[in-house]
Amino acid sequence: MRARTVTAKKAKIMTDTAPKTQPPQTQVPERPDPETQASVPVELGERSYDIKIASGLLHQAGEMIKDRLGQRKCAIITDENIAPLHLGKLQKSLEQAGLSHDVLILPPGEATKNFTPFANACETLLQMQIERGDLIIAFGGGVVGDFAGFAASILRRGMDFVQIPTTLLAQVDSSVGGKTGINTKQGKNLVGCFHQPRLVIIDTDVLHTLPQRELRAGYAEVVKYGLIDDPVFFAWLEEYGPRLLTGDEQARIYAIATSCRAKARIVALDEREGGVRALLNLGHTFGHALEAFAQYDGSLLHGEGISIGMVMAFELSEQLGYCQKDATSQVEAHFKSVGLPTRVTDLPHKPGPSASQLLATMAQDKKVVGGKLVFIMAHDIGESFVDKSVPMDALANYLEGQCCT
Ligand code: GLY
C-alpha cells in the first residue's frame, strides 16, 4: 500500500489556548480499510443510540426500527424534494415490518424552519392523533431533521424520534447529537432544545440523487472534523475527498463513519455544549452571519457559509498570532479544489455584507456568553480550541479587511 507521511497531531481535544508540542510523524494510508458498513455508538447513558451507515439501508429501515424500538405507529416528516425520490422505499420498508404510518410533507428549504409552519405541522400531527408512544421519523436534510426533532421534543410533552438523514450535511452533522430547533428573525436555530434521536439510519444510496452543490456543501462539514482535531483525516481528504464527491462508495462510507465517530465522541463528552462541543462550531459564527445576510433564500447554503467561515477562523487565528499562514492557505486550497467558496467576496451578492452588518449578527449568535463572542480558533490543522477572549477591535479590523462592499 502506498503511503505518505504527514504531521499528525491527533489526540486530545483542546478547549483553551495551549502550548504547542512537537508532533509525531505518522503514515496516512492510501486507501481506508474496506468498510462497507459501520455502526457508531453515541454513548449518552440512558439516551445512548446507534448510527447505522451502509448502502441500501432504507430497505431495512422498518425492520431496524421494529427490532430496536418495537411495534410503533410512525409519523414520517419529510419534504417535497425527498418525497418523490425516496418516500416510497421507506413506506414499503415500514409496511413490510408491519409498522403503520402517516406522512407529513413540508415545503423544502430553510423558510420552513419558522414558527408559523412549525405550529401548523404540530397541529397536523395532533390531528393525525399522534400519541406519546408513537414514533416520529425525520426523513430529509438538516431542515427536516431539526424541525421534526423539535416537534418530537414538545408534542405530547416529548416523543421518540428516529433520524433518517438524506443529505451529506445531515448525515455527518445535524442528525447526530440531538440539536433541534427553528429559526427566528433574530437568527438561526435560536428556538429549540436538545432532544436525542433513538436511532440514526444513514443510507449512502440517497446521496446519488443529491445535487452536486448540496453534496459539496455537506463536504465542508466533513472537512471540519479534520480541522478540529484530526490532521490525518484532513490529509486523507486532501487526497481522496474529491472521490467522495464523485460517488466512490467506499470513500463515502469511510468519510461519513469517521465524521460520525468524531461527532459521537465529542457529543458524549459534552452533550449540552458546556465546553468541547463548541469545537463543532468551527467557522459557524462567521458562517451564520453570512447566511443571515443571504436571508436563507438558497443563494448561500449552510455548508458554503461555513466553508468561508472556516477559512476566516484560520485567518483570524493567524492575525492573532495563534497559527501560521501556511495552515490557512492549505485549508483554503482544499476548499477551493472541490469548488467551495472561501471568501466573503465569493458571495453572489453585490454589494456584499459590511463589517458592521456581520458584527451585529454575530452579537446575536448563541455563542455569545456574557456579551463576549466565543470563537473557535486554531493553532494548526487539527488543533482547534475554544477562545473566549478574541478582542472586538481585532475582529472588527479583520472583517473590515474582508468585506469590500
Ligand atoms: N452542529 C454542531 C453541533 O451539533 O453541536
Side-chain angles (χ1 to χ4, degrees):
M1 178 181 282
R2 191 158 64 80
R4 70 194 180 94
T5 302
V6 297
T7 308
K9 289 148 273 192
K10 175 164 171 59
K12 66 186 171 70
I13 293 170
M14 286 184 285
T15 56
D16 230 326
T17 24
K20 293 184 76 170
T21 50
Q22 204 49 43
Q25 300 279 297
T26 197
Q27 301 283 302
V28 180
E30 191 190 350
R31 297 285 294 162
D33 293 337
E35 208 175 10
T36 54
Q37 56 178 35
S39 179
V40 178
V42 184
E43 312 273 10
L44 289 169
E46 62 184 14
R47 291 182 307 291
S48 297
Y49 54 96
D50 286 331
I51 308 164
K52 297 285 183 189
I53 307 159
S55 147
L57 277 193
L58 215 44
H59 301 288
Q60 299 164 39
E63 283 304 328
M64 290 168 78
I65 289 170
K66 194 163 88 176
D67 283 355
R68 280 153 189 269
L69 305 173
Q71 188 78 38
R72 302 278 192 113
K73 183 171 166 234
C74 303
I76 303 171
I77 303 183
T78 189
D79 72 23
E80 288 162 5
N81 287 341
I82 290 302
L85 296 171
H86 303 295
L87 180 60
K89 281 173 260 178
L90 177 59
Q91 288 184 291
K92 190 168 168 205
S93 163
L94 295 177
E95 277 155 22
Q96 282 169 345
L99 301 177
S100 65
H101 60 270
D102 285 313
V103 181
L104 173 60
I105 301 178
L106 304 168
E110 204 69 39
T112 295
K113 244 177 87 173
N114 269 298
F115 274 118
T116 305
F118 184 72
N120 291 339
C122 287
E123 291 198 342
T124 306
L125 289 160
L126 292 169
Q127 277 158 12
M128 291 172 178
Q129 298 189 314
I130 195 161
E131 294 178 7
R132 188 186 274 178
D134 295 345
L135 186 73
I136 288 184
I137 300 178
F139 185 45
V143 166
V144 167
D146 288 3
F147 184 106
F150 189 35
S153 77
I154 58 171
L155 278 168
R156 307 283 188 193
R157 294 209 171 86
M159 301 176 54
D160 286 344
F161 83 115
V162 167
Q163 287 270 18
I164 308 186
T166 57
T167 61
L168 181 59
L169 186 137
Q171 293 183 344
V172 299
D173 185 36
S174 60
S175 68
V176 176
K179 280 190 179 174
T180 74
I182 56 173
N183 306 327
T184 73
K185 280 200 284 290
Q186 288 74 23
K188 238 187 135 176
N189 302 329
L190 293 181
V191 173
C193 65
F194 289 96
H195 186 57
Q196 299 294 341
R198 297 292 309 277
L199 174 68
V200 180
I201 299 173
I202 297 178
D203 181 348
T204 50
D205 287 357
V206 297
L207 299 180
H208 295 311
T209 55
L210 194 66
Q212 266 298 315
R213 184 175 167 217
E214 295 265 356
L215 203 57
R216 274 200 303 271
Y219 182 75
E221 293 277 9
V222 174
V223 176
K224 180 184 80 177
Y225 295 105
L227 298 180
I228 290 174
D229 72 339
D230 194 344
V232 175
F233 184 46
F234 181 79
W236 183 86
L237 289 169
E238 282 183 308
E239 194 104 13
Y240 304 111
R243 291 194 197 179
L244 190 160
L245 293 172
T246 51
D248 180 327
E249 193 60 28
Q250 190 181 323
R252 279 186 179 170
I253 290 179
Y254 176 77
I256 293 168
T258 304
S259 303
C260 287
R261 283 188 191 107
K263 178 136 190 193
R265 182 167 44 87
I266 292 174
V267 168
L269 289 171
D270 177 23
E271 183 182 3
R272 297 176 71 88
E273 202 170 303
V276 292
R277 184 165 179 168
L279 293 172
L280 296 170
N281 299 325
L282 176 64
H284 280 57
T285 302
F286 291 116
H288 281 174
L290 296 171
E291 282 184 271
F293 167 76
Q295 300 189 315
Y296 315 109
D297 62 0
S299 57
L300 181 73
L301 301 179
H302 174 68
E304 294 168 340
I306 66 152
S307 169
I308 300 173
M310 285 188 269
V311 172
M312 292 174 89
F314 269 79
E315 200 166 49
L316 181 59
S317 299
E318 188 190 298
Q319 292 198 358
L320 293 172
Y322 295 142
C323 171
Q324 300 293 317
K325 189 169 174 56
D326 56 356
T328 310
S329 315
Q330 200 179 340
V331 173
E332 182 167 18
H334 184 56
F335 284 135
K336 274 188 168 165
S337 75
V338 295
L340 279 163
T342 57
R343 294 282 158 184
V344 177
T345 47
D346 290 342
L347 293 179
H349 313 80
K350 303 290 175 245
S354 66
S356 56
Q357 253 177 314
L358 294 182
L359 269 176
T361 319
M362 286 178 181
Q364 274 288 355
D365 203 89
K366 295 185 299 310
K367 288 101 204 171
V368 176
V369 179
K372 287 206 160 142
L373 278 167
V374 179
F375 270 95
I376 311 307
M377 297 278 98
H379 288 306
D380 204 344
I381 288 168
E383 287 192 35
S384 299
F385 63 95
V386 180
D387 190 349
K388 299 180 182 154
S389 61
V390 172
M392 271 300 175
D393 55 345
L395 175 63
N397 278 341
Y398 173 67
L399 290 173
E400 287 292 346
Q402 296 300 302
C403 301
C404 314
T405 52

